[in-house]
Amino acid sequence: MKIAVIGAGYVGLVTGACISEMGHTVHVIDCDPDKIAAIKAGNPPIYEKGLDELLQRNVGRSLFATSDYDTVRDSDLVFICVGTPCRDDGCADLSMVRAASQSIGKILTGCNHAPVVVVKSTVPPGTTECVVRPLVQDAAGRSDIPCAMNPEFLREGRAIRDFFHPDRIVIGSSDIACFDAVASAYQGIDAPVIRTSVPAAEMIKYVSNAFLATKISFSNEIGNICKRIGIDVYEVMKGVGMDTRISPHFLDAGVGFGGSCFPKDVTALITFADSLGEDPLILKAVIKVNENQAVRMLTLLKSRLPMIRGKKIAVLGLAFKDNTDDVRDSRAIPVIAGLVKEGALVAAFDPVANAAMAKIFPDICYCSSAAEALTGAEACLVMTEWPEFSRLEKEFDLMNSRVVIEGRRILSYRDREGVCW
Ligand code: UDX
């Protein structure tokens, strides 16, 4: 198939690269000339495990990058994979989705053929049918352009594995020919493919993320209760998660969830529900518990090290989780902001995210290793689960005083404590 992918970010580039690996011809379209140049040279503009190999194998053969929409004209499918960040009022910002829809429509004016326009971006229910379809069709001056919704469930750091081994493929489509066209892009992937209504597909994405975020906030709340009485929440959740109705996944307590999806998607679902006159109590509590965990980490630090002004505090792990350089909504952000506000000297280290965090906090100290961050530190906060942190042991001898607090359980070092264990 000939497939165009609009947006060369975490979702678009991974999707495009994986689809090209399956033998389709893919054009990834992005307005950022630097991203296009990097992809053309076979260099991923983002850090994602295995993406460099995929680009090197397929760029110039079955994968092409361009800022020109021309290729949409003879494509079978066009995936919209642009960002839908959270606006200040909590709604999903659809400006990039609108712009992409209009550009697709314009290029299809006077064209005999019409690709299926597939929304992959996470959008509120109703967006594909009430925003994307009319914008594409108005710009094209025709009413025969099919639209579908096909949410992604890719985890950063594991996105390529998730693409080839999904639990399910969801395709929202009101017409069977359009469903078949989208499904054939995934031919060869061994996973159930379900057809739903278009708004149900949009809702499935929001609800999946909201449910996973709820599991995390639930575990964190239980962790906070357990810590009061010296019970290990990881032991508790191990026993709880063995119940097949519950499952062991996403029960790891800690400093809370971050990233480009959970915080913004739960917030967008809350705003969407509010707009319908509903008061989503559970979803609101999920966000509140999440925000409180970072505050709890700072409170715990201050109870162990009452005076932090002028003290060196090591912060290990800056991205929102391990194996990514993505710092969007990372829990390290409120923690570092709190430390800076209290006058601490922050020594930060992440195996791949120092540069990304330097754009947010240009004035803190970035270290090239955990050992450098720990040297002379009065306390250490471990924010993410990078496997290399689990091997830290003698490096803690370099600290001035050994206050070590984890935001996720990863250290084998004995004298550490967790934010909620
Ligand atoms: C998530 C969804 O998993 C994915 O399906 C969707 O397409 C995009 O959003 P991602 O944001 O890449 O993926 O990260 P994920 O691995 O799901 O973790 C999200 C956050 O939750 C991270 O901050 C992580 O550290 C945290 N988390 C995860 C926990 O605190 N505890 C857990 O048990 C699991």
Side-chain angles (χ1 to χ4, degrees):
M1 296 175 88
K2 286 187 178 172
I3 294 175
V5 177
I6 317 294
Y10 284 91
V11 173
L13 186 53
V14 169
T15 302
C18 291
I19 292 181
S20 76
E21 176 85 357
M22 293 169 69
H24 302 296
T25 301
V26 178
H27 284 83
V28 175
I29 303 170
D30 199 289
C31 54
D32 181 341
D34 294 340
K35 272 191 191 168
I36 297 302
I39 298 166
K40 277 184 169 167
N43 300 323
I46 50 164
Y47 176 83
E48 181 61 49
K49 203 166 151 225
L51 187 56
D52 43 358
E53 285 103 326
L54 279 190
L55 294 197
Q56 271 146 32
R57 248 197 323 273
N58 297 304
V59 166
R61 296 183 187 93
S62 55
L63 179 62
F64 304 89
T66 173
S67 39
D68 201 327
Y69 272 71
D70 268 357
T71 176
V72 166
R73 287 173 153 261
D74 63 350
S75 294
D76 302 302
L77 304 177
V78 185
F79 283 105
I80 297 181
C81 301
V82 295
T84 51
C86 203
R87 286 191 334 207
D88 289 344
D89 63 1
C91 293
D93 179 351
L94 298 178
S95 56
M96 285 184 266
V97 172
R98 288 177 204 276
S101 307
Q102 278 164 334
S103 301
I104 293 168
K106 263 187 221 152
I107 208 76
L108 293 175
T109 317
C111 178
N112 293 330
H113 163 79
V116 180
V117 177
V118 190
V119 176
K120 216 176 227 316
S121 303
T122 302
V123 291
T127 303
T128 302
E129 286 184 336
C130 304
V131 178
V132 173
R133 189 196 300 270
L135 284 173
V136 172
Q137 298 198 345
D138 285 357
R142 49 193 281 198
S143 58
D144 61 344
I145 301 170
C147 290
M149 163 71 197
N150 169 222
E152 54 80 23
F153 303 102
L154 308 175
R155 286 165 294 178
E156 286 178 29
R158 298 161 183 80
I160 293 169
R161 201 206 154 274
D162 284 349
F163 183 92
F164 289 114
H165 304 280
D167 291 335
R168 77 298 204 194
I169 293 166
V170 175
I171 301 171
S173 166
S174 54
D175 122 37
I176 189 73
C178 172
F179 165 81
D180 285 343
V182 182
S184 42
Y186 293 100
Q187 215 162 36
I189 291 185
D190 182 19
V193 181
I194 66 160
R195 180 179 165 206
T196 66
S197 73
V198 176
E202 293 167 326
M203 197 62 165
I204 285 169
K205 172 61 195 245
Y206 271 121
V207 175
S208 301
N209 275 355
F211 190 75
L212 292 169
T214 303
K215 287 185 87 173
I216 298 168
S217 278
F218 179 81
S219 302
N220 290 342
E221 185 160 281
I222 297 299
N224 295 336
I225 298 167
C226 286
K227 189 172 171 76
R228 292 252 171 204
I229 42 174
I231 298 175
D232 180 353
V233 64
Y234 275 74
E235 241 177 52
V236 171
M237 286 322 207
K238 189 174 173 198
V240 170
M242 287 169 85
D243 185 325
T244 52
R245 294 169 301 173
I246 296 173
S247 108
H249 306 291
F250 281 72
L251 295 179
D252 290 341
V255 69
F257 55 78
S260 63
C261 292
F262 287 177
K264 89 164 166 67
D265 292 349
V266 179
T267 305
L269 188 52
I270 291 170
T271 314
F272 184 69
D274 279 340
S275 76
L276 302 174
E278 286 299 324
D279 186 14
L281 301 175
I282 293 177
L283 297 177
K284 287 179 180 173
V286 167
I287 294 290
K288 201 164 179 191
V289 170
N290 199 52
E291 284 168 357
N292 276 347
Q293 288 308 95
V295 177
R296 290 182 92 99
M297 196 160 188
L298 289 167
T299 307
L300 181 62
L301 171 67
K302 281 193 272 180
S303 73
R304 302 292 181 260
L305 189 72
M307 180 65 193
I308 61 174
R309 178 165 297 278
K311 301 275 170 61
K312 178 176 176 180
I313 311 291
V315 177
L316 305 184
L318 305 176
F320 82 96
K321 63 176 186 180
D322 58 308
N323 276 304
T324 177
D325 62 350
D326 190 347
V327 298
R328 284 177 290 177
D329 249 313
S330 163
R331 295 294 79 202
I333 296 173
V335 167
I336 292 174
L339 292 172
V340 170
K341 194 165 164 230
E342 301 266 349
L345 308 175
V346 177
F349 169 70
D350 187 289
V352 296
N354 279 6
M357 196 57 111
K359 291 186 186 143
I360 299 174
F361 295 106
D363 298 328
I364 62 170
C365 169
Y366 291 91
C367 303
S368 53
S369 67
E372 187 189 338
L374 290 168
T375 303
E378 303 292 338
C380 167
L381 303 179
V382 180
M383 305 300 300
T384 59
E385 288 181 299
W386 271 100
E388 67 173 76
F389 297 157
S390 69
R391 294 187 288 274
L392 295 174
E393 186 72 64
K394 60 178 185 348
E395 288 82 352
F396 291 109
D397 295 344
L398 300 166
M399 296 177 73
N400 253 3
S401 70
R402 290 170 181 242
V403 175
V404 179
I405 301 172
E406 291 181 291
R408 290 294 296 281
R409 181 171 288 185
I410 180 71
L411 300 180
S412 45
Y413 175 66
R414 256 186 321 118
D415 303 328
R416 47 101 174 102
E417 76 176 304
V419 59
C420 52
W421 57 93

